[in-house]
Amino acid sequence: MMSERKELDKHFMRLAIQEAEKAFRSDEVPVGAVLVRQNQVIGRAHNQVKLLKDPTAHAEMIAMTQGCEAVGSEHLRGVTVYVTLEPCPMCVGAMILARIDRLVFGAREKKTGACGSKLHLLAETRWNHRFPIEEGLLEFESAALLQEFFKKQRQEKSR
């Protein structure tokens, strides 16, 4: 049972990485997110901050909007969020408000990560909702895409 769940987790994280690759091709920070309920994808997105000229257009936020539409509620009970990069405070806050069941992320984000890297929002016990976090799933693949993106950005700036 446990290995079956781990295989499903890897499958859904690979879908999130595919979303991150779309962001990379669109010159967006390559982060992808997938929302899953009862082993069905109910939301999938990549960062679209530049495209939409919207600082809130993170992969997680867009995918959660899709997920809420899919379930017909502002709450995402029974949902696991898979994201390639540790979510920021805004995204973790939205996950708390949406009452997700679980978060699985790939790479840590030292500058803005809100699951332990910069701060840990869920360490605060006074929230009305908390959820388990699993980190490091397909971390290398997620981090490699980000490293390649920022290397490319630096090279273009130096020209």
Side-chain angles (χ1 to χ4, degrees):
M1 183 72 178
M2 192 59 130
S3 64
E4 182 181 326
R5 180 174 179 173
K6 200 49 117 180
E7 286 309 309
L8 277 171
D9 283 348
K10 285 181 183 177
H11 167 73
F12 293 124
M13 185 60 86
R14 284 185 192 102
L15 296 179
I17 289 170
Q18 288 175 5
E19 288 297 319
E21 289 167 345
K22 290 179 189 176
F24 184 94
R25 291 190 297 272
S26 299
D27 204 32
E28 297 273 2
V29 175
V31 177
V34 171
L35 271 67
V36 176
R37 185 177 189 205
Q38 298 173 342
N39 293 329
Q40 297 293 313
V41 174
I42 61 166
R44 63 189 302 163
H46 55 278
N47 274 0
Q48 296 179 41
V49 172
K50 288 182 181 179
L51 174 70
L52 300 176
K53 296 174 180 50
D54 178 356
T56 70
H58 290 193
E60 303 95 308
M61 300 296 283
I62 297 167
M64 283 192 289
T65 297
Q66 293 171 358
C68 288
E69 288 174 14
V71 301
S73 172
E74 72 276 17
H75 294 141
L76 294 169
R77 290 182 177 94
V79 171
T80 297
V81 176
Y82 296 88
V83 62
T84 57
L85 186 66
E86 179 181 2
C88 72
M90 171 184 69
C91 293
V92 172
M95 290 174 199
I96 292 168
L97 294 173
R99 292 168 174 67
I100 69 162
D101 270 19
R102 181 172 161 246
L103 168 65
V104 179
F105 72 84
R108 282 198 164 266
E109 170 44 276
K110 292 179 189 120
K111 292 181 181 176
T112 62
C115 298
S117 290
K118 187 70 169 184
L119 63 131
H120 198 325
L121 284 181
L122 290 172
E124 169 56 62
T125 59
R126 293 178 289 179
W127 293 116
N128 64 335
H129 178 74
R130 296 171 70 194
F131 49 86
I133 299 169
E134 295 174 37
E135 66 174 271
L137 185 64
L138 302 183
E139 178 180 11
F140 177 79
E141 294 89 332
S142 297
L145 195 56
L146 286 154
Q147 289 165 353
E148 187 179 342
F149 176 79
F150 287 112
K151 180 181 176 185
K152 186 178 120 191
Q153 294 285 310
R154 287 189 296 275
Q155 287 171 344
E156 288 174 5
K157 281 184 182 176
S158 67
R159 288 183 188 155

